[in-house]
């Protein structure tokens, strides 16, 4: 904690904070991870990092280049979208109310054969705007033409863990491009970009390619981001076709021995948990409950994963299936859906949901030491949430108010690396109308499916 | 449709509209109920009713006392909260992450023995503020001290169907008070208040009282609003204790032969559908999916009810269990949860969800001829929704955008009976800070459970 400022002494320049966020309730993590709410506190930011969290009265005279009066607001770590495809925002609402095989084969993969780099960047920019307005400060993205997504990250001010998707159908070129990108753009955007290798899924990438990916990950110290056991049909199809589950394939190809981010996992079965329990890499899952409900899938088995100590982060998947990139909604839905799936209202409490949204999401995306808590030394990725709306009052329980009453539209201010990207709901780095208008001009060409091509087939063997 | 105005003629006073909402997309219902989106249309309001829905160009010269430029917005019927307990907003977040029996017996019913009329009215006013901001124009309420809720309706400008709750434990006095209120306040608030009889539930009201209620309903032409088959444990308990399901009790006591609004129904079993199919009254259900998930219950079996032609309206229950009175959230969750429960992504499409939110919710609350559609002659209960946010763009599918991307915070303007209650998110009839501050002063006394009393016991026989 900071020493009180002596008013008799003019402040040394080093004492001038870059930003102070004053008089708010702070969602703080004790060293053991317990969440506490500190009333009337101030967050002090220097050099893009949290310098101090202190009672407001102690920091009222602290000189600062920028001050935010945050009374009536709550400061918490920015949300992290642990699995998305930002450019697919261009396809929001294009293919609704249908099973995943029809969604992929008749709509998404034919349309994606029309992708241009411009559409990728415009979709990513629109996604960044949506996420900043929803209190998201970092995201893990898995898509194509990722240099353009990286450019959108630079422009938006967000933090991101980026991976260039590949299928075995592309030959070794796909894997090489994923590696090249991961090596080339890591550390970009003043360090806000980290990178991952991004094989699509065990049903579209062959074992030899997965094994080669694990080898590259070890060699270059890169994490891997993959879809696996997305739903039960994939697991059943894998068992019929290969005699093993998708998770057993991850194990057999060495991917459970590197840092691995697995999207979805709603198709995990009993034997998978033993396999996961023997993993030597840092494994994490990303759950996207809205899309799981919408496709009629089961949900990510968080209780079983927790018993193995495997963190589960919150995600939205892409807007083409999930319709929003609203991680706040994912937080609320995760609590609701887990209670329902376990038929246990005591499970996945509001505080557990906040742990998934903060510490666990940071772990899953490789940001465990740099984000996920407003602790001195971590990057100043934080959001300010309005607690004065009629839908959160009275405030008997702050954790419950955040998870079950508040929503993404209550995020007033979004800050990444100490830089304010949205203030009082006004975006400061992106122009939504300009981006959406430019994107709209490209939509007729993008969504034309008359050519009959598709970039891949969804066929999980059943 | 209105005749075009002849600019050469000064308008006859009768031609001056009270309000025109100009240049928006209108969610319109064809006579067969099909939803269509009319672009660049204008809604004309006279004497509190929809007078016309017409292409914007035809109404641009129409004289009006008030004009709203609604370009970039969508006009749709106001949402209807088909089952809530507005005063329980005072208890938002008081008892979290626990089963319903603990929630009732250890928290809600002990606290409700401290209720005062002032708390009821303040809770109802806060609830009205939340609902207006969420695009709700009417609600069905089931609670105590309902004169104070009626007063809140008068003050807020909302429409409501109100019923005074009673238990058999109160003797005949409870039923008589419910009837007295229903007769006394019907038509109040310039006709915006309608009333219902409100026995609590088959597990708290004895058969003789239910039968007497059905008799009163017939005699006075009043609908009845009741909780029944809220969850499967209640149905199983009723079978063990009485040898019949809660729905069979409704049938046996004559309640299926009057107009009946049933809350929840997540515990319906196969034999109930035959019984419901033989009902001679207008039966409707209200589904509150968030609370169902939170308690770990099943969900309302909408598909089976639909096959019987029984409408299902959207609801939030009270904020003490549901945390919000956000009917938009109920709409989104209904679509998601129904797809999941039926394991069928083609079921409960966005358009079906909009039908539940509009026409079916109006039917269930007895407003079927007066609200639920922007059709000339119906009351002008409408809301304007912002379609320009980054989370709804691009706009490939308006129905999907409303159900799966937009949220209650996108409602800019709320209009009831042609009167603007919120404009550009600013409440015009209620002061949230004043109400919440006054309520906060009464909370310590309200939430004191040291007296050891409770107003009722939750014991469903298992």
């Amino acid at each position: 904690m900071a020493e009180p400022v002596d008013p008799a002494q003019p402040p040394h320049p080093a004492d001038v904070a870059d930003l102070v966020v004053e008089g708010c309730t702070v969602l703080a993590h004790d060293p053991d991870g317990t969440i506490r709410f500190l009333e009337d506190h101030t967050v002090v930011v220097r050099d893009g990092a949290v310098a101090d969290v202190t009672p407001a009265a102690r920091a009222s005279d602290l000189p600062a280049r920028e001050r935010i009066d945050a009374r009536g607001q709550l400061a918490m770590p920015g949300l992290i979208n642990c699995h998305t495809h930002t450019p697919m925002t261009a396809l929001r609402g294009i293919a609704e109310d249908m099973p995943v095989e029809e969604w992929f084969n008749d709509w998404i993969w034919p349309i994606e054969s029309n992708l241009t780099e411009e559409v990728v960047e415009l979709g990513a920019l629109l996604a960044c705007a949506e996420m900043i307005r929803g209190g998201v400060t970092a995201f893990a993205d898995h898509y194509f033409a990722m240099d353009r997504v990286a450019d959108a990250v630079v422009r938006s001010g967000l933090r991101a863990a980026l991976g260039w998707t590949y299928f075995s159908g592309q030959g070794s070129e796909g894997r090489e491009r994923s590696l090249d990108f991961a090596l080339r753009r890591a550390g970009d955007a003043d360090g806000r970009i980290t990178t991952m290798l991004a094989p699509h899924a065990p049903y579209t990438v062959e074992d030899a390619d997965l094994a080669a990916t694990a080898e590259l990950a070890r060699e270059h110290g890169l994490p891997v981001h993959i879809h696996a056991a997305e739903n039960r049909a994939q697991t059943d199809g894998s068992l019929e076709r290969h005699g093993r589950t998708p998770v057993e394939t991850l194990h057999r190809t060495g991917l459970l021995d590197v840092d691995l981010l697995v999207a979805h996992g709603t198709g995990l079965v009993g034997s998978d948990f033993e396999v996961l329990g023997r993993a030597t890499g840092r494994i994490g899952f990303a759950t996207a409950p809205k899309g799981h409900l919408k496709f009629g899938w089961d949900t990510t088995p968080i209780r079983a994963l927790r018993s193995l100590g495997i963190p589960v982060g919150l995600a939205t998947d892409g807007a083409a299936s999930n319709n929003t990139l609203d991680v706040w909604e994912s937080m609320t839905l995760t609590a609701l859906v887990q209670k329902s799936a376990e038929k246990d209202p005591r499970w996945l409490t509001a505080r557990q949901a906040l742990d998934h949204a903060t510490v666990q999401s940071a772990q899953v995306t490789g940001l465990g030491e740099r984000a996920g808590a407003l602790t001195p030394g971590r990057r100043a990725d934080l959001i300010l949430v309005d607690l004065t709306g009629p839908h959160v009052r009275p405030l008997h329980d702050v954790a419950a108010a955040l998870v079950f009453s508040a929503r993404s539209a209550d995020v007033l201010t979004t800050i990444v690396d100490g830089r304010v990207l949205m203030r009082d709901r006004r975006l400061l780095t992106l122009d939504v109308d300009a981006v959406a208008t430019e994107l709209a001009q490209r939509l007729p060409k993008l969504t034309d499916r008359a050519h009959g091509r598709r970039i891949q087939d969804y066929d999980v063997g059943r």
Side-chain angles (χ1 to χ4, degrees), chain A residues 139-432:
Chain A
F139 63 99
D141 204 333
H142 195 295
Y143 207 63
F144 313 100
M146 291 300 287
D147 277 300
R148 304 306 287 265
V149 177
D151 294 345
V153 171
V154 170
R155 192 161 144 198
S156 68
L158 284 171
R159 189 182 305 287
L162 305 179
W164 194 313
T165 306
Y166 67 93
F167 306 110
S168 279
Q170 299 164 325
S172 62
E173 200 190 317
R175 193 176 66 235
E176 285 157 15
R177 185 164 44 215
S178 195
L179 176 65
D180 169 66
F181 170 79
L183 296 175
R184 199 161 34 76
R185 298 298 295 252
D188 213 340
D190 303 318
R192 299 195 313 276
I193 291 178
T194 52
T195 55
M196 298 175 152
L197 297 173
H200 179 258
Y203 62 88
T204 50
V205 181
E206 290 165 14
D207 288 6
D209 276 333
L210 294 176
T213 303
E215 196 51 55
L216 291 173
R218 255 190 304 274
E219 184 183 339
H220 298 283
L222 286 167
V224 178
H225 184 174
I226 193 168
H227 304 86
E230 293 177 293
N231 54 50
R232 183 57 188 261
Q234 286 180 13
T235 300
D236 293 344
S238 176
L239 282 165
E240 283 178 25
R241 186 174 281 184
H242 307 295
R244 51 188 150 80
T245 68
V247 164
E248 286 161 353
T249 295
L250 297 180
H251 165 66
R252 180 194 174 101
T253 56
L255 283 169
L256 296 186
D257 302 314
V258 300
D259 288 359
L260 185 69
L261 167 50
V262 183
H264 305 302
T266 81
L268 294 181
V269 291
S271 60
D272 289 334
F273 299 107
E274 286 169 60
V275 176
L276 288 167
R278 294 198 308 269
T280 63
R282 282 190 299 191
I283 312 297
F285 278 77
T287 190
K290 188 179 187 182
H292 302 166
L293 291 166
K294 203 160 168 241
F295 278 134
W297 297 351
D298 298 325
T299 194
T300 313
I302 292 182
R303 200 170 207 162
L305 290 169
R306 184 186 169 88
S307 71
L308 296 171
I310 295 176
V312 178
L314 305 180
T316 67
D317 212 346
S321 58
N322 198 86
N323 301 68
T324 48
L325 305 185
D326 186 337
V327 178
W328 201 292
E329 183 182 47
S330 299
M331 174 171 71
T332 305
L333 282 175
T334 293
L336 295 174
V337 165
Q338 290 292 320
K339 287 174 187 293
S340 172
E342 301 285 348
K343 297 243 174 258
D344 182 359
R346 297 188 206 279
W347 168 247
L348 226 133
T349 63
R351 280 168 184 270
Q352 279 177 272
L354 290 168
D355 188 61
H356 286 287
T358 56
V359 171
Q360 292 188 54
S361 288
Q363 289 171 338
V364 159
T365 49
L367 297 170
E369 307 301 313
R370 303 171 67 204
L374 299 186
T375 305
R378 299 210 182 194
R379 304 311 298 164
D381 293 5
L382 66 145
I383 59 178
L384 303 178
V385 184
D386 183 15
L387 295 181
T388 67
H391 59 294
V392 294
R393 293 165 87 170
L395 204 56
H396 289 294
D397 179 331
V398 178
L402 291 174
V403 175
F404 296 119
S405 298
R407 49 197 176 223
S408 58
D410 295 320
V411 177
L412 299 177
T413 296
T414 301
I415 299 167
V416 175
D417 254 1
R419 179 182 176 205
V420 181
L421 306 185
M422 175 175 75
R423 186 154 183 170
D424 293 329
R425 297 215 52 73
R426 198 163 62 83
L427 292 173
L428 301 180
T429 57
L430 298 172
D431 178 340
V432 171

Side-chain angles (χ1 to χ4, degrees), chain A residues 112-165:
Chain A
E112 285 183 339
S113 69
N114 303 330
L115 268 185
T116 64
E117 298 223 329
E118 289 69 29
V119 165
V120 166
E121 184 159 351
L122 292 165
L125 286 168
L126 193 56
C128 289
E130 179 184 357
M131 288 194 283
I132 293 169
R133 277 179 63 91
V136 173
T137 53
F139 63 99
D141 204 333
H142 195 295
Y143 207 63
F144 313 100
M146 291 300 287
D147 277 300
R148 304 306 287 265
V149 177
D151 294 345
V153 171
V154 170
R155 192 161 144 198
S156 68
L158 284 171
R159 189 182 305 287
L162 305 179
W164 194 313
T165 306

